[in-house]
Amino acid sequence: MIKHKFFQNKKIWIVPVMELIIGCILIVLLLNYVSRNDMRNKKEKANANAMTYSERIAEDINSGITITNCMKQIIISEDGRCDKFSKIAQNLMDDSIQSIQLAPNGIVTEIYPERGNEAGKINLLSDRSRGAYVHYGKKHDVIVFQGPFGLKQGGKGIAVRNPVYIARNGKKEFWGFTIAIIRVPDIFSNSMKALENFGYQCRLLKTTAPWSRKYVDVYHSEENLTQPVSNQFTIAGNTWKLQVMPEKGWGNKRMLLFLLCGGSIVLLLLIGLTVAVMVLEERRKYLRVLTEMDSLTRIYNRNGFDRKIDQLIADRADMHFVIAELDIDNFKSINDMYGHAAGDQALKSLVADLQKHFPKNAVIARNGGDEFCLLLPNQTCESIHDKFKEFTRSEKKFYHKGEVHSFTISLGYAQYPQQAKNYDVLMHCADAALYEVKLRGKQGCAAYKDGFRQIRKQLGFGFMDVSENLPGAFLIYKADPDDDELLFANHEMLHLCGCKDMDEFFAYTKQKFCNLINKQEQTEVEESIWKQINANGGQENDYVKFSLARKDGTQVTVFDHGRIVENIYYGRVFYVLLLNEKQIHLHYDEKSECYI
């Protein structure tokens, strides 16, 4: 594996790293100073707004208290009576008031509007949830707030209960309570909206009871508040608290981002100017490495391999080494059957096996396609033979769609300088040895010997070339009586069946060979095929004639010549050639000696 040293040269990076550290410290200090100063100014402004709007909110809430005071004065002036309650209450109502109530002796008897609020007519003094509040207000003669609580009509409200005492015979006698149920946040919505329009998030709290220090939310903006400023105020003996913070937070992100970007640009320019000359040189070396590396397998390509050998020979002209060439047997079949992604997996798997099997000083390169080069320093053909033999015979595999598939390799090798003192000639020797292995049946290794042909002649025809140009319909299916799955069909076969492509062919046949045979003949034809195969200890060929069922419903009589072969991927399969009987009679003269 190529390991480039570009980022490991300490001499190059000492000064830039120091500049980076110092520059980052200065930028952080600057950002901290600006951020703290900006936060201080924002908090001073927020405090001023909190104080101002606390007063406005207090005025808003006092408008609810004013209603109870008006009712209170009427009751006192009329010696405990309020004959025109509904009319007076109607005049005092507004959109922020849910209801106005009278509770003589603590019992609610009058409610405006009464409709929808009938359930409010209760004895407050004996009520479990309200009793403590009204007793406190009665005892201390103070207005008490209770809530917020959910309103039956929707929304939330706060009850304002104002105790009423009437002077009789020189004594103050408890009359009851005047009550206003105010809607929140409706009653102070203008103040809250004003704050939010100024860009603030708000939170209004009040003590749960006059005797308690625990606060409850009365209003809360959508976002959570972080380190808000707070202002407390008191209304009729009840403590309230207004918290505010800027909607976008205390920091000025845009300004900080601008300073950060500006400072970073200046710092990077400084670093860039400092290391420009050194980096350019290292970059040139790095780019040369990229031109010598295979992008798929991350090992040397042929250029890198050639340069490495030239360097070894130049450094030590007297050294000896072995060069091997190897490739994957039937690699094109892997790409054709499983796709190029599977082929890439096979290549990567082979590289991993090479790196694991051979010493670290071995130089591995991809020559192109599925061909690889291997250089083993200080080795001879004799010393490395067993290692090569073991490697070529060991299992090679790759994964496709979760399944393991095996493949084999062939390898040829030659020794420097015994068999060639020239690098190019040595590569030709290794290539000739590899070709010799191919001629002997593949999957193996061989050392170069005099007499091996150094000009490789390959059959220039692939599987698709052969299958598509056969003079007849050709197909492949599994040689299994219980699972005769169709695997391949050439275009002649598709045309014979009346199908336009392989997908239509597989859909029509349900990918079963038996579905190509006329239903009345299926049993007889299949028995004939297997009877021939199983005869005489299991021969390889079968010959049968049957009616082939075409997609359009018609039939055509064909001659079937099949042969069983062993496939490393599917096990036993049938290779079948089908000839149209009608075409045979049409093109062959029945009287000719050529016709059988």
Side-chain angles (χ1 to χ4, degrees), residues 33-42 250-252 255:
Y33 171 78
V34 172
S35 177
R36 290 171 69 88
N37 188 59
D38 183 57
M39 183 180 290
R40 182 172 61 253
N41 293 335
K42 285 185 176 181
W250 295 110
N252 188 333
M255 180 179 63

Side-chain angles (χ1 to χ4, degrees), residues 564-568 570-573:
I564 281 188
V565 297
E566 192 71 30
N567 183 277
I568 62 173
Y570 293 101
R572 294 207 308 168
V573 297

